[in-house]
Amino acid sequence: MRSRPDVLVLGGGGVLGLEWMMGLLGGIEDIAGFDLRECEYLIGTSAGSILAARLVGGRRPRRPDGDRQQLDLPSVEAELPEEEDLEEAPGVGATVLHGARRAGEWTLAVGSPLAPIALGVARPAGTLLRAGVLSRIHAPDRTLDDLNARVQQYGAGFDGRLRVACVDRANGQRVIFGAPGAPPATVGEAVAASCAVPWLFAPVTISGREYVDGGVWSSTNLDAAPVGLDTHVLCLNPTAGITGHHTLVGVARRLARSAVSVEALALRRRGAIVRTVAPDTEAAAAMGGDFMDSEPRPRVLAAGYAQGRRVGSEIGWA
């Protein structure tokens, strides 16, 4: 049996990013022979927080020939062409490809889940600008209460392993629910907040403060992983595989890749061994440029699974 990662980091990426991560983890498990539910820490952002909660709740990743249910999430009336699964609305794909229609390109450029990387995540000026943009975005009426309730059914709790990345709407600061010193919250509340794309869903109120999509800070929040010397970290970054010729798509792809590289370097300086995985050529082709599109889900799951088997055969943490 190969060495299981100590920390699993699951990034944002909408419905297809979630499908790719699900397949990839299943493929890794099947070829490498370990159970990723047993990781010491799981850090989730946006769509990745849904998957992290599932794993902590004891549910294994789906395989292409397994359960065909699409995470059993309720649907909502999306302000896109037609009714879509709730799972499709959260994440970077929605922000990059549809946000401009709702908030204007300037707001998209500054307020998207990838923009804080360019603004300088740790700089006070970036935090203030992020808070200013979030305060100017009209909060939609549509809530993620159904997602909250569904995630609670997974049975996951904040037992010290699960971490969920969100952003405080008022001050633009990142909050990692489940980490020491974080405000008290249920897993359902935290996951709903991490999926609350600012111009698609109402912020989630926790302990009297409003929280939004964790991707507004970083697409993976890899740097929030608790690590030490020789900690093995596996980070999945769906957004780095987004395809298409639109300028915003290209910007999103470059920022997703560069940000994770910077965050991984920070962990390596603390002695961690970090492996980051983005969709390979086949998976990226299956996902296309719209991570909100439900039609390719079976193909994306299968492509992720095939890639996961390849990744699993290579994991040795050498």
Side-chain angles (χ1 to χ4, degrees):
M1 179 182 294
R2 298 175 184 274
S3 175
R4 170 184 51 76
D6 302 305
V7 182
L8 182 60
V9 179
L10 303 169
V15 58
L16 296 185
L18 182 57
E19 205 75 11
W20 171 74
M21 289 189 290
M22 186 80 70
L24 187 113
L25 294 184
I28 290 176
E29 285 190 341
D30 287 352
I31 200 69
F34 47 67
D35 189 338
L36 289 167
R37 296 173 297 180
E38 298 176 356
C39 290
E40 294 178 21
Y41 296 101
L42 297 94
I43 293 90
T45 297
S46 197
S49 70
I50 301 174
L51 181 50
R54 279 176 55 87
L55 295 173
V56 171
R59 304 188 181 200
R60 301 194 70 183
R62 285 189 295 110
R63 275 67 169 171
D65 57 351
D67 181 9
R68 301 308 303 165
Q69 290 184 340
Q70 299 177 1
L71 293 192
D72 251 357
L73 292 178
S75 61
V76 297
E77 183 77 20
E79 293 184 30
L80 299 173
E82 57 190 51
E83 183 173 279
E84 295 179 336
D85 191 293
L86 180 57
E87 199 179 301
E88 299 173 22
V92 178
T95 303
V96 172
L97 298 174
H98 300 300
R101 299 183 200 166
R102 300 180 49 79
E105 291 211 8
W106 181 83
T107 301
L108 172 66
V110 183
S112 79
L114 298 167
I117 301 160
L119 294 173
V121 168
R123 290 197 293 265
T127 299
L128 292 173
L129 180 55
R130 187 182 307 109
V133 171
L134 289 174
S135 68
R136 288 177 173 84
I137 296 174
H138 174 70
D141 295 328
R142 192 167 66 238
T143 72
L144 289 175
D145 292 345
D146 287 346
L147 176 60
N148 181 341
R150 181 66 66 180
V151 170
Q152 285 300 112
Q153 294 178 11
Y154 294 163
F158 283 123
D159 59 357
R161 297 193 306 138
L162 177 62
R163 310 286 171 92
V164 175
C166 301
V167 168
D168 187 312
R169 184 171 181 257
N171 61 27
Q173 294 281 2
R174 179 174 67 182
V175 174
I176 306 294
F177 287 100
T186 67
V187 172
E189 288 172 337
V191 169
S194 190
C195 292
V197 177
W199 42 79
L200 291 179
F201 295 103
V204 176
T205 300
I206 301 173
S207 299
R209 299 191 67 84
E210 293 183 334
Y211 295 93
V212 297
D213 190 346
V216 173
W217 185 276
S218 163
S219 60
T220 64
N221 291 285
L222 171 61
D223 61 313
V227 301
L229 184 63
D230 293 332
T231 300
H232 295 165
V233 182
L234 177 62
C235 174
L236 307 189
N237 185 20
T239 317
I242 194 169
T243 61
H245 302 293
H246 194 288
T247 302
L248 293 173
V249 172
V251 170
R253 182 171 53 245
R254 289 192 296 273
L255 288 176
R257 291 173 178 171
S258 62
V260 168
S261 296
V262 170
E263 293 172 353
L265 179 60
L267 296 191
R268 291 182 180 119
R269 286 175 174 169
R270 290 154 57 188
I273 301 168
V274 182
R275 173 157 190 157
T276 61
V277 181
D280 62 13
T281 302
E282 291 78 11
M287 295 166 80
D290 185 354
F291 284 14
M292 298 280 286
D293 185 4
S294 62
E295 189 276 330
R297 294 178 78 160
R299 296 194 300 277
V300 171
L301 181 68
Y305 182 79
Q307 182 182 357
R309 290 181 64 87
R310 291 191 291 272
V311 171
S313 68
E314 299 165 0
I315 287 180
W317 303 108

Coordinates of all heavy atoms in Angstrom, one line a residue, residues 40-104:
E40 N -5.9 13.0 7.8 CA -5.9 13.7 9.1 C -6.6 15.0 9.0 O -7.3 15.4 10.0 CB -4.5 13.9 9.6 CG -3.7 12.6 9.9 CD -2.3 12.8 10.3 OE1 -2.0 14.0 10.7 OE2 -1.5 11.9 10.2
Y41 N -6.5 15.7 7.9 CA -7.2 16.9 7.7 C -7.8 17.0 6.3 O -7.2 16.5 5.3 CB -6.3 18.1 7.8 CG -5.7 18.3 9.2 CD1 -4.4 17.8 9.5 CD2 -6.5 18.8 10.3 CE1 -3.9 17.9 10.8 CE2 -6.0 19.0 11.5 CZ -4.7 18.5 11.8 OH -4.2 18.6 13.1
L42 N -9.0 17.6 6.1 CA -9.6 17.8 4.8 C -10.0 19.3 4.8 O -10.8 19.8 5.6 CB -10.8 16.9 4.6 CG -10.5 15.4 4.6 CD1 -10.7 14.8 6.0 CD2 -11.4 14.7 3.6
I43 N -9.5 20.0 3.8 CA -9.8 21.4 3.6 C -10.6 21.6 2.3 O -10.2 21.2 1.2 CB -8.5 22.3 3.5 CG1 -7.8 22.2 4.9 CG2 -8.8 23.7 3.2 CD1 -6.8 21.1 5.0
G44 N -11.8 22.2 2.4 CA -12.7 22.4 1.3 C -13.0 23.8 1.0 O -13.2 24.6 1.9
T45 N -13.1 24.2 -0.2 CA -13.5 25.5 -0.7 C -14.6 25.4 -1.7 O -14.5 24.6 -2.7 CB -12.3 26.3 -1.4 OG1 -11.2 26.5 -0.4 CG2 -12.7 27.6 -1.9
S46 N -15.7 26.1 -1.5 CA -16.8 26.1 -2.4 C -17.3 24.7 -2.7 O -17.6 23.9 -1.8 CB -16.5 26.9 -3.6 OG -17.6 27.3 -4.4
A47 N -17.3 24.3 -4.0 CA -17.7 22.9 -4.3 C -16.9 21.9 -3.6 O -17.4 20.8 -3.2 CB -17.6 22.7 -5.8
G48 N -15.6 22.2 -3.3 CA -14.7 21.2 -2.6 C -15.2 21.0 -1.2 O -14.9 20.0 -0.6
S49 N -15.8 22.0 -0.6 CA -16.3 21.8 0.8 C -17.4 20.8 0.9 O -17.6 20.1 1.9 CB -16.8 23.2 1.4 OG -18.0 23.6 0.8
I50 N -18.2 20.7 -0.2 CA -19.3 19.7 -0.2 C -18.7 18.3 -0.2 O -19.1 17.4 0.6 CB -20.2 19.8 -1.5 CG1 -20.8 21.2 -1.5 CG2 -21.2 18.7 -1.6 CD1 -21.6 21.5 -2.8
L51 N -17.6 18.1 -1.0 CA -17.0 16.8 -1.1 C -16.2 16.5 0.2 O -16.3 15.4 0.7 CB -16.0 16.8 -2.3 CG -15.2 15.5 -2.5 CD1 -16.2 14.3 -2.5 CD2 -14.4 15.6 -3.8
A52 N -15.6 17.5 0.8 CA -14.9 17.3 2.1 C -15.9 16.9 3.2 O -15.6 16.0 4.0 CB -14.2 18.6 2.5
A53 N -17.0 17.5 3.2 CA -18.1 17.1 4.2 C -18.5 15.7 4.0 O -18.8 15.0 4.9 CB -19.2 18.1 4.2
R54 N -18.7 15.3 2.7 CA -19.1 13.9 2.4 C -18.1 12.9 2.9 O -18.5 11.9 3.5 CB -19.3 13.8 0.9 CG -20.6 14.3 0.3 CD -20.6 14.1 -1.2 NE -20.4 12.8 -1.6 CZ -21.3 11.8 -1.8 NH1 -22.5 12.1 -1.5 NH2 -21.0 10.6 -2.2
L55 N -16.8 13.2 2.7 CA -15.8 12.3 3.1 C -15.7 12.2 4.6 O -15.7 11.1 5.2 CB -14.5 12.7 2.5 CG -14.3 12.7 1.0 CD1 -13.0 13.3 0.6 CD2 -14.4 11.2 0.5
V56 N -15.8 13.3 5.3 CA -15.7 13.3 6.8 C -17.0 12.6 7.3 O -17.0 11.9 8.4 CB -15.6 14.7 7.3 CG1 -15.8 14.7 8.8 CG2 -14.2 15.3 6.9
G57 N -18.1 12.7 6.6 CA -19.3 12.1 7.0 C -19.4 10.6 6.7 O -20.3 9.9 7.0
G58 N -18.3 10.1 6.1 CA -18.2 8.6 5.9 C -18.5 8.1 4.5 O -18.5 6.9 4.3
R59 N -18.9 9.0 3.6 CA -19.2 8.6 2.3 C -18.0 8.5 1.3 O -17.3 9.5 1.3 CB -20.3 9.5 1.7 CG -21.5 9.7 2.6 CD -22.6 10.4 1.9 NE -23.8 10.6 2.8 CZ -25.0 10.8 2.4 NH1 -25.3 11.0 1.1 NH2 -26.0 10.9 3.2
R60 N -17.9 7.5 0.6 CA -16.7 7.3 -0.3 C -17.0 8.1 -1.6 O -18.2 8.3 -2.0 CB -16.5 5.9 -0.6 CG -16.2 5.0 0.7 CD -15.6 3.7 0.3 NE -14.2 3.9 -0.2 CZ -13.5 2.8 -0.6 NH1 -14.0 1.6 -0.6 NH2 -12.3 3.0 -1.0
P61 N -15.9 8.4 -2.3 CA -16.1 9.0 -3.7 C -16.9 8.1 -4.6 O -16.7 6.9 -4.5 CB -14.7 9.3 -4.1 CG -13.8 9.2 -2.9 CD -14.5 8.3 -2.0
R62 N -17.7 8.6 -5.5 CA -18.4 7.8 -6.4 C -17.4 7.4 -7.5 O -16.5 8.0 -7.9 CB -19.5 8.6 -7.1 CG -20.7 8.7 -6.1 CD -21.9 9.3 -6.9 NE -21.7 10.7 -7.3 CZ -21.6 11.0 -8.6 NH1 -21.6 10.2 -9.5 NH2 -21.4 12.3 -8.9
R63 N -17.7 6.2 -8.1 CA -17.0 5.7 -9.3 C -17.9 5.8 -10.5 O -19.1 5.8 -10.4 CB -16.6 4.2 -9.1 CG -15.3 4.0 -8.3 CD -15.3 4.4 -6.9 NE -14.2 3.9 -6.1 CZ -13.9 4.3 -4.9 NH1 -14.7 5.2 -4.3 NH2 -12.8 3.8 -4.3
P64 N -17.3 5.7 -11.7 CA -18.2 5.9 -12.9 C -19.2 4.8 -13.0 O -20.3 5.0 -13.6 CB -17.1 5.8 -14.1 CG -15.9 6.2 -13.5 CD -15.9 5.8 -12.0
D65 N -18.9 3.6 -12.5 CA -19.9 2.5 -12.7 C -20.7 2.2 -11.4 O -21.3 1.2 -11.2 CB -19.2 1.2 -13.1 CG -18.1 0.8 -12.1 OD1 -17.8 1.6 -11.2 OD2 -17.6 -0.3 -12.2
G66 N -20.6 3.2 -10.5 CA -21.3 3.1 -9.2 C -22.6 3.9 -9.2 O -23.3 4.0 -10.1
D67 N -22.9 4.4 -8.0 CA -24.1 5.2 -7.8 C -24.2 6.3 -8.7 O -23.4 7.2 -8.8 CB -24.1 5.7 -6.3 CG -25.4 6.4 -6.0 OD1 -26.3 6.4 -6.8 OD2 -25.4 7.0 -4.9
R68 N -25.3 6.4 -9.5 CA -25.5 7.5 -10.5 C -26.1 8.7 -9.9 O -26.3 9.7 -10.6 CB -26.3 7.0 -11.7 CG -25.7 5.8 -12.4 CD -24.2 6.0 -12.7 NE -24.1 7.2 -13.6 CZ -22.9 7.8 -13.8 NH1 -21.8 7.4 -13.2 NH2 -22.8 8.9 -14.6
Q69 N -26.5 8.7 -8.7 CA -27.1 9.9 -8.1 C -26.1 11.0 -8.1 O -25.0 10.8 -7.8 CB -27.6 9.6 -6.7 CG -28.8 8.6 -6.6 CD -29.3 8.5 -5.2 OE1 -28.6 8.8 -4.2 NE2 -30.5 8.1 -5.1
Q70 N -26.6 12.2 -8.3 CA -25.8 13.4 -8.4 C -25.7 14.1 -7.0 O -26.2 15.2 -6.9 CB -26.2 14.3 -9.5 CG -26.2 13.6 -10.9 CD -26.8 14.5 -11.9 OE1 -27.2 15.7 -11.7 NE2 -26.8 14.0 -13.1
L71 N -25.2 13.4 -6.1 CA -25.1 13.9 -4.7 C -26.4 14.2 -4.0 O -26.4 14.8 -2.9 CB -24.1 15.1 -4.7 CG -22.7 14.8 -5.0 CD1 -21.8 16.1 -4.7 CD2 -22.1 13.6 -4.4
D72 N -27.5 13.9 -4.7 CA -28.8 14.0 -4.0 C -29.1 15.5 -3.6 O -29.8 15.7 -2.6 CB -28.8 13.1 -2.8 CG -29.8 12.0 -3.0 OD1 -30.4 11.9 -4.0 OD2 -29.9 11.1 -2.1
L73 N -28.5 16.4 -4.2 CA -28.8 17.8 -3.8 C -30.0 18.4 -4.5 O -30.4 18.0 -5.6 CB -27.6 18.7 -4.2 CG -26.3 18.4 -3.5 CD1 -25.2 19.3 -4.0 CD2 -26.5 18.6 -2.0
P74 N -30.8 19.2 -3.8 CA -32.0 19.8 -4.3 C -31.7 20.8 -5.4 O -30.5 21.3 -5.5 CB -32.6 20.5 -3.1 CG -31.5 20.8 -2.2 CD -30.5 19.7 -2.4
S75 N -32.7 21.1 -6.2 CA -32.5 22.0 -7.3 C -33.0 23.4 -6.9 O -33.9 23.5 -6.0 CB -33.1 21.5 -8.6 OG -34.5 21.4 -8.4
V76 N -32.6 24.4 -7.6 CA -33.1 25.8 -7.4 C -33.3 26.4 -8.7 O -32.9 26.0 -9.7 CB -32.1 26.6 -6.6 CG1 -31.8 26.1 -5.2 CG2 -30.8 26.8 -7.3
E77 N -34.1 27.5 -8.7 CA -34.3 28.3 -9.9 C -33.1 29.2 -10.1 O -32.9 30.2 -9.4 CB -35.6 29.2 -9.7 CG -36.0 30.0 -10.9 CD -36.7 29.1 -11.9 OE1 -37.2 28.1 -11.6 OE2 -36.7 29.6 -13.1
A78 N -32.3 28.8 -11.0 CA -31.1 29.6 -11.3 C -31.4 30.7 -12.2 O -32.2 30.6 -13.1 CB -30.0 28.7 -11.9
E79 N -30.7 31.9 -12.1 CA -30.9 33.0 -12.9 C -30.0 32.9 -14.1 O -29.4 33.9 -14.6 CB -30.7 34.3 -12.1 CG -31.7 34.5 -11.0 CD -31.5 35.8 -10.3 OE1 -31.0 36.8 -10.9 OE2 -31.8 35.9 -9.1
L80 N -30.0 31.7 -14.7 CA -29.3 31.4 -15.9 C -30.4 30.9 -16.8 O -31.6 31.1 -16.5 CB -28.1 30.4 -15.6 CG -27.1 31.0 -14.7 CD1 -26.0 30.0 -14.3 CD2 -26.4 32.2 -15.2
P81 N -30.1 30.2 -17.9 CA -31.2 29.9 -18.8 C -32.3 29.1 -18.3 O -33.4 29.3 -18.7 CB -30.4 29.2 -20.0 CG -29.0 29.7 -19.9 CD -28.8 29.9 -18.5
E82 N -32.0 28.1 -17.4 CA -33.1 27.2 -17.0 C -32.8 26.7 -15.6 O -31.7 27.0 -15.0 CB -33.2 26.0 -17.9 CG -31.9 25.3 -18.1 CD -32.0 24.3 -19.3 OE1 -32.4 24.7 -20.4 OE2 -31.7 23.1 -19.0
E83 N -33.7 26.0 -15.0 CA -33.5 25.4 -13.7 C -32.3 24.5 -13.7 O -32.2 23.7 -14.6 CB -34.8 24.7 -13.2 CG -34.7 24.1 -11.8 CD -36.0 23.5 -11.4 OE1 -36.9 24.3 -11.0 OE2 -36.1 22.3 -11.5
E84 N -31.4 24.6 -12.7 CA -30.2 23.8 -12.6 C -30.1 23.2 -11.2 O -30.6 23.7 -10.3 CB -29.0 24.6 -13.0 CG -29.1 25.1 -14.4 CD -27.9 26.0 -14.8 OE1 -27.3 26.6 -13.9 OE2 -27.6 26.1 -16.0
D85 N -29.3 22.2 -11.1 CA -29.0 21.5 -9.9 C -28.3 22.5 -9.0 O -27.4 23.3 -9.4 CB -28.1 20.3 -10.1 CG -28.0 19.4 -8.9 OD1 -27.4 19.9 -8.0 OD2 -28.5 18.3 -9.0
L86 N -28.6 22.5 -7.7 CA -27.9 23.4 -6.7 C -26.4 23.2 -6.8 O -25.6 24.1 -6.5 CB -28.4 23.1 -5.3 CG -27.8 23.9 -4.2 CD1 -28.1 25.4 -4.4 CD2 -28.5 23.5 -2.9
E87 N -26.0 22.0 -7.0 CA -24.6 21.7 -7.1 C -23.9 22.4 -8.2 O -22.7 22.7 -8.2 CB -24.4 20.2 -7.3 CG -23.1 19.5 -7.0 CD -23.2 18.1 -7.3 OE1 -24.1 17.4 -6.7 OE2 -22.5 17.6 -8.2
E88 N -24.6 22.9 -9.2 CA -24.0 23.5 -10.3 C -23.8 25.0 -10.1 O -22.9 25.6 -10.7 CB -25.0 23.4 -11.6 CG -25.2 22.0 -12.0 CD -26.2 21.9 -13.1 OE1 -26.4 22.9 -13.8 OE2 -26.9 20.9 -13.3
A89 N -24.5 25.6 -9.2 CA -24.3 27.0 -9.0 C -23.1 27.4 -8.3 O -22.5 28.4 -8.7 CB -25.6 27.6 -8.2
P90 N -22.6 26.8 -7.2 CA -21.5 27.2 -6.5 C -20.2 27.1 -7.3 O -20.1 26.2 -8.1 CB -21.4 26.3 -5.2 CG -22.7 25.8 -5.1 CD -23.3 25.7 -6.5
G91 N -19.2 27.9 -7.1 CA -17.9 27.6 -7.6 C -17.4 28.6 -8.6 O -18.0 29.5 -9.1
V92 N -16.1 28.3 -9.1 CA -15.4 29.2 -9.9 C -16.0 29.3 -11.3 O -16.1 30.3 -12.0 CB -14.0 28.8 -10.0 CG1 -13.2 29.7 -10.9 CG2 -13.3 28.8 -8.6
G93 N -16.5 28.1 -11.8 CA -17.1 28.1 -13.2 C -18.2 29.1 -13.3 O -18.3 29.9 -14.3
A94 N -19.1 29.2 -12.3 CA -20.2 30.1 -12.3 C -19.7 31.5 -12.3 O -20.2 32.4 -13.1 CB -21.1 29.9 -11.1
T95 N -18.7 31.8 -11.5 CA -18.2 33.1 -11.4 C -17.5 33.6 -12.6 O -17.8 34.7 -13.1 CB -17.2 33.2 -10.2 OG1 -17.8 32.7 -9.0 CG2 -16.7 34.6 -9.9
V96 N -16.6 32.8 -13.2 CA -15.9 33.3 -14.3 C -16.7 33.4 -15.6 O -16.6 34.4 -16.3 CB -14.7 32.2 -14.6 CG1 -14.0 32.6 -15.9 CG2 -13.7 32.3 -13.5
L97 N -17.6 32.5 -15.8 CA -18.4 32.4 -17.0 C -19.7 33.2 -17.0 O -20.2 33.6 -18.1 CB -18.6 31.0 -17.5 CG -17.3 30.2 -17.7 CD1 -17.6 28.8 -18.0 CD2 -16.5 30.8 -18.8
H98 N -20.3 33.3 -15.9 CA -21.6 33.9 -15.8 C -21.7 35.2 -15.0 O -22.6 36.0 -15.0 CB -22.6 32.9 -15.2 CG -22.8 31.7 -16.0 ND1 -23.2 31.7 -17.4 CD2 -22.6 30.4 -15.7 CE1 -23.2 30.5 -17.8 NE2 -22.8 29.7 -16.9
G99 N -20.6 35.4 -14.2 CA -20.7 36.6 -13.3 C -20.8 37.9 -14.0 O -21.4 38.9 -13.5
A100 N -20.1 38.0 -15.2 CA -20.1 39.3 -15.9 C -21.5 39.7 -16.3 O -21.8 40.9 -16.3 CB -19.2 39.2 -17.1
R101 N -22.4 38.7 -16.6 CA -23.8 39.1 -16.9 C -24.5 39.7 -15.8 O -25.4 40.6 -16.0 CB -24.5 37.8 -17.3 CG -23.9 37.1 -18.5 CD -24.9 35.9 -18.8 NE -24.2 34.9 -19.6 CZ -24.7 33.6 -19.7 NH1 -25.8 33.3 -19.1 NH2 -24.0 32.8 -20.4
R102 N -24.1 39.3 -14.6 CA -24.9 39.7 -13.4 C -24.3 41.0 -12.7 O -25.0 41.7 -12.1 CB -25.0 38.6 -12.4 CG -25.7 37.4 -13.0 CD -25.7 36.3 -11.9 NE -26.3 36.8 -10.7 CZ -27.5 37.0 -10.4 NH1 -28.4 36.7 -11.4 NH2 -28.0 37.4 -9.3
A103 N -23.0 41.1 -12.7 CA -22.4 42.1 -11.9 C -21.5 43.1 -12.7 O -21.0 44.1 -12.2 CB -21.5 41.5 -10.8
G104 N -21.3 42.8 -14.0 CA -20.5 43.7 -14.8 C -19.0 43.2 -14.7 O -18.6 42.6 -13.8

